[in-house]
Each structure stands twice: as structure tokens, then as C-alpha cells.
Amino acid sequence: MTHYLLSVVTPTDGQPPSEAELGEIMRNVEAFNQELRDAGVWVFAGGLHGPETATMLRPSGADVLITDGPYAEGKEYLGGLCLIEAADLDAALEWGRKAVRATTLPIEVRPFVDQH
């Protein structure tokens, strides 16, 4: 089994869902997470606060510089993630499709390096 990262891609200029819509999305996400658990592929999942809450650490010679905020500004940011085990990319992509339906957001699927 290979580990895959399903990244939730959140647009910075998107309109946040209404409270009712968000409730439905969260129910769908919990059902998706339960389906992952029931299938035995779930490793970890969680949402992230916005990039404005980030603290960046960067190498600077022998020191490490610490600054507030994201390294780069963009139109999208990592809003959450799900780590799964899947037999192959096709299986991971099928889970990604289900994640898109649950979150209503784009999902990026990536394998970990040197996983067989």
C-alpha cells in the first residue's frame, strides 16, 4: 500500500458557504472520513486555519528566521488534508473524487516519495 495525500485546495477569493451549507458540507466530510475508516484506508485527516495564522521558519546561515504569515501569497491555500493508504493511484483518485463531492472544493492527490 502507498500513502497518498489528499489536499483540500481552498480559494482565497471564494465566498464562504452559508451556515446551513457549511453544516451540510461538514456532515458530508464526516461521512467521507467514516467511509475511509470503514474501508481501512484512513490514516489521518484535518482542517487547517487560514494562512494568516501561519508562522514561517526559514534558514538564514546558521540561524532560523521566524516571521508571521505565509511564505507566498496566492489565489489558493491548503485548507485541510487527508492521509490515506491506497493500492495504487487509481484507487487514490477514486477517494479524491469522493473528497471533492464531500468538500465541494478542489482536491489535489499526491503520492509520498519512495512508497511501495
Side-chain angles (χ1 to χ4, degrees):
M1 295 286 250
T2 300
H3 286 95
Y4 288 88
L5 178 67
L6 308 181
S7 302
V8 179
V9 179
T10 305
T12 57
D13 63 351
Q15 188 74 339
S18 70
E19 194 171 314
E21 292 168 323
L22 184 58
E24 179 70 17
I25 291 168
M26 295 312 297
R27 284 187 292 279
N28 291 339
V29 168
E30 185 49 44
F32 170 69
N33 286 338
Q34 189 59 51
E35 186 177 356
L36 291 169
R37 287 183 192 98
D38 292 346
V41 300
W42 188 88
V43 176
F44 174 81
L48 297 169
H49 288 283
E52 70 280 358
T53 66
T55 302
M56 291 300 300
L57 292 90
R58 295 186 184 92
S60 178
D63 289 332
V64 174
L65 298 178
I66 299 173
T67 58
D68 291 336
Y71 174 71
E73 292 187 24
K75 294 182 180 183
E76 301 172 327
Y77 65 92
L78 179 63
L81 57 97
C82 182
L83 179 61
I84 64 168
E85 286 185 316
D88 54 31
L89 179 59
D90 289 336
L93 291 174
E94 187 55 38
W95 287 112
R97 284 182 190 92
K98 292 179 180 191
V100 166
R101 289 185 207 108
T103 64
T104 71
L105 292 169
I107 300 292
E108 178 185 69
V109 177
R110 297 173 82 180
F112 280 78
V113 176
D114 296 327
Q115 292 277 312
H116 304 285

